């Protein structure tokens, strides 16, 4: 190939800074002559004439072969610079955009306050569950009474039953047949009791996305990930530390998974609930589920998957009558359904309009365990539940309900 046709070699040498110099036949190339030429400055030297370049051939798709340098590549030569000739066109299709991740997995929800800040001023200072006179009378009675030893023995027995180890996580569903029955309040009391007495972590799950009040009752400040979100995120290889990053941390080693962010129209289908509960069950010793009211679909699925059920009802005539009808219907279901149910009569006023003792006997005749949650001024305020402000009778009742539900949950695997 003639020197005039070797335009590619000229381009390479010019880019390397060696200039266009004639090759010596049988001797070293320009890079090997004596001293190494100084590197070019930031711009091209105006005194050096530009190397003439021939236009790239349009017909040949591949660059013309370049004759090897007579002296071979010099060790001090710079890296190979791509040729100015067009490269061969690849027949492989151009890579398209990466497949987008699923919308739910890629979406990171914004954190929202559990209570609108503009409504914070509407809340009053939390009251004690019972008046000062009642607390003082009880303190005097404990001083002069001889039944203190029996009371301490009963508390110790209940605490021991609540601390029994479990081989698999226990799920306890709390539901009702109508709104305003104290369902979220009872769920908060039960989970708080388990978190206080047990060493393993406790989980609250809100399976009632229709503006449920469980986060407010538990004192959650902000909400982010919901049950529907976590159902698509949790993987079997995750650790407890990974899981808790999507939950709301509470006191006493307890965690909350809200059902919504307090927005109207939030939906939770039973398939998402099933996936979330199956994935989270092995991380927590006890899970308390605040369900929708019966006969909602998610509530029925939660009752089927749980080892125990707590059915709340207001301590009113119509509440007791409706609950009695439901319990009679449950008697026709498999025995473990009604055998694993605890009924809680919640008193909504200081003086109930029914005979609670007679109501307990009537409901217990269906084969269920029945308890009464007495009226408590602190619970009636509807805000965050503080156990130090609960009345003594409320704390005792909540502990007994929690122990009874946990005992029934251990009978079913």
């Amino acid at each position: 190939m003639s020197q005039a046709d070797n335009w590619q070699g000229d381009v390479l040498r010019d880019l390397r800074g060696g200039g266009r110099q004639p090759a010596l036949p049988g001797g070293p190339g320009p890079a090997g002559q004596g001293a190494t030429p100084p590197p070019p400055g930031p711009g091209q030297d105006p005194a050096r004439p530009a190397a003439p370049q021939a236009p790239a051939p349009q017909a040949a798709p591949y660059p013309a072969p370049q004759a090897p340098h007579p002296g071979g590549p010099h060790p001090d030569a710079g890296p190979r610079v791509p040729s100015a000739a067009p490269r061969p066109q690849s027949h492989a299709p151009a890579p398209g955009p990466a497949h987008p991740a699923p919308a739910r997995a890629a979406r990171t929800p914004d954190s929202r306050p559990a209570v609108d800040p503009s409504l914070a001023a509407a809340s009053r200072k939390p009251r004690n569950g019972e008046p000062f006179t009642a607390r003082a009378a009880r303190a005097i009675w404990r001083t002069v009474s001889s039944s203190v030893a029996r009371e301490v023995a009963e508390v110790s027995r209940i605490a021991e039953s609540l601390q029994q180890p479990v081989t698999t996580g226990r799920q306890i569903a709390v539901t009702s047949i109508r709104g305003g029955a104290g369902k979220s309040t009872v769920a908060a009391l039960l989970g708080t009791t388990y978190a206080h007495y047990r060493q393993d972590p406790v989980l609250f799950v809100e399976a009632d996305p229709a503006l449920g009040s469980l986060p407010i009752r538990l004192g959650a400040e902000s909400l982010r990930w919901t049950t529907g979100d976590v159902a698509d995120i949790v993987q079997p290889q995750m650790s407890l530390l990974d899981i808790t990053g999507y939950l709301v941390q509470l006191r006493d080693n307890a965690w909350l998974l809200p059902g919504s962010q307090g927005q109207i129209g939030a939906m939770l289908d039973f398939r998402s609930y099933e996936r979330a509960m199956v994935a989270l069950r092995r991380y927590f010793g006890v899970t308390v589920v605040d369900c929708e009211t019966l006969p909602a679909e998610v509530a029925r699925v939660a009752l089927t998957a749980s080892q125990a059920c707590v059915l709340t009802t207001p301590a009113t005539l119509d509440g007791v009558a409706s609950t009695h009808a439901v319990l009679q219907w449950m008697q026709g279901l498999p025995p473990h359904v009604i055998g694993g149910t605890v009924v809680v009569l919640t008193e909504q006023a200081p003086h109930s309009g029914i005979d609670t003792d007679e109501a307990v006997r009537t409901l217990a005749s269906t084969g269920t365990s029945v308890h009464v949650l007495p009226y408590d001024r602190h619970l009636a305020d509807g805000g965050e539940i503080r156990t130090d402000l609960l009345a003594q009778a409320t704390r005792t009742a909540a502990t007994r309900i929690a122990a009874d539900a946990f005992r029934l949950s251990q009978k079913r695997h």
Side-chain angles (χ1 to χ4, degrees):
M1 181 182 296
S2 65
Q3 185 68 24
D5 295 336
N6 192 13
W7 59 273
Q8 291 177 325
D10 296 336
V11 173
L12 290 175
R13 283 189 295 274
D14 186 65
L15 291 174
R16 292 171 181 170
R20 184 175 181 179
Q21 300 181 9
L24 298 179
Q33 293 177 356
T36 305
Q44 185 178 356
D45 187 358
R48 174 178 299 173
Q53 299 183 8
Q58 301 298 325
Y62 294 92
Q66 179 180 354
H69 198 280
H74 193 273
D76 294 334
R80 178 177 177 86
V81 181
S83 173
R87 292 186 176 273
Q89 298 296 328
S90 173
H91 296 286
H99 294 288
R104 185 177 295 275
R107 183 179 66 90
T108 301
D110 297 328
S111 180
R112 293 178 176 269
V115 179
D116 193 328
S118 62
L119 300 177
S123 62
R124 297 186 306 176
K125 181 180 179 181
R127 296 182 298 171
N128 202 295
E130 54 187 350
F132 173 77
T133 55
R135 300 197 302 272
R138 188 180 66 255
I140 296 175
W141 177 84
R142 287 175 59 88
T143 303
V144 300
S145 175
S146 60
S147 61
V148 177
R150 293 194 302 271
E151 182 179 345
V152 172
E154 182 182 5
V155 172
S156 301
R157 178 184 59 82
I158 295 177
E160 183 180 359
S161 65
L162 288 171
Q163 295 171 352
Q164 293 296 317
V166 295
T167 55
T168 57
R170 304 286 91 185
Q171 296 182 14
I172 300 175
V174 183
T175 186
S176 63
I177 59 175
R178 63 179 62 188
K183 173 175 56 67
S184 297
T185 299
V186 172
L189 290 174
L190 294 184
T192 303
T193 303
Y194 295 134
H196 175 73
Y197 283 99
R198 299 189 61 81
Q199 298 297 323
D200 45 15
V202 175
L203 176 64
F204 294 86
V205 175
E206 186 184 35
D208 186 3
L211 298 180
S213 59
L214 184 61
I216 298 177
R217 292 307 239 169
L218 295 175
E221 296 181 358
S222 61
L223 309 175
R224 191 171 189 178
W225 302 95
T226 64
T227 306
D229 298 326
V230 172
D232 297 331
I233 294 175
V234 177
Q235 300 295 330
Q237 67 272 15
M238 286 185 174
S239 64
L240 177 61
L241 186 60
D242 298 328
I243 297 297
T244 54
Y246 299 99
L247 307 177
V248 180
Q249 186 173 8
L250 305 173
R251 300 184 301 270
D252 294 332
N253 202 24
W255 306 86
L256 167 66
L257 180 59
S260 67
Q261 293 182 323
Q263 296 176 330
I264 297 178
M267 299 298 295
L268 175 63
D269 60 278
F270 71 93
R271 292 184 179 86
S272 298
Y273 173 81
E274 285 180 336
R275 292 199 307 271
M277 296 306 296
V278 170
L280 296 175
R281 177 177 177 178
R282 65 188 182 93
Y283 296 97
F284 300 91
V286 179
T287 300
V288 179
V289 184
D290 183 10
C291 300
E292 296 177 294
T293 56
L294 291 174
E297 189 175 38
V298 176
R300 287 186 279 118
V301 173
L303 294 178
T304 304
S306 300
Q307 286 78 35
C309 169
V310 176
L311 184 62
T312 63
T313 182
T316 59
L317 181 59
D318 59 338
V320 173
S322 301
T323 303
H324 187 258
V326 171
L327 294 177
Q328 288 180 326
W329 168 77
M330 292 173 62
Q331 286 180 324
L333 301 177
H336 70 269
V337 176
I338 195 167
T341 300
V342 177
V343 177
V344 178
L345 289 172
T346 58
E347 293 186 339
Q348 310 288 332
H351 304 286
S352 177
I354 62 172
D355 186 348
T356 55
D357 294 335
E358 183 62 31
V360 168
R361 284 192 294 268
T362 302
L363 296 177
S365 63
T366 59
T368 58
S369 179
V370 185
H371 297 267
V372 177
L373 183 65
Y375 172 78
D376 189 292
R377 295 193 311 176
H378 179 61
L379 295 180
D381 290 341
E384 177 186 357
I385 296 178
R386 291 177 45 182
T387 54
D388 59 318
L389 295 181
L390 292 175
Q392 179 64 31
T394 305
R395 288 198 294 267
T396 301
T399 306
R400 290 174 178 173
I401 297 169
D404 202 4
F406 184 71
R407 176 184 59 83
L408 295 178
S409 70
Q410 290 182 305
K411 295 182 177 181
R412 185 183 176 189
H413 302 281

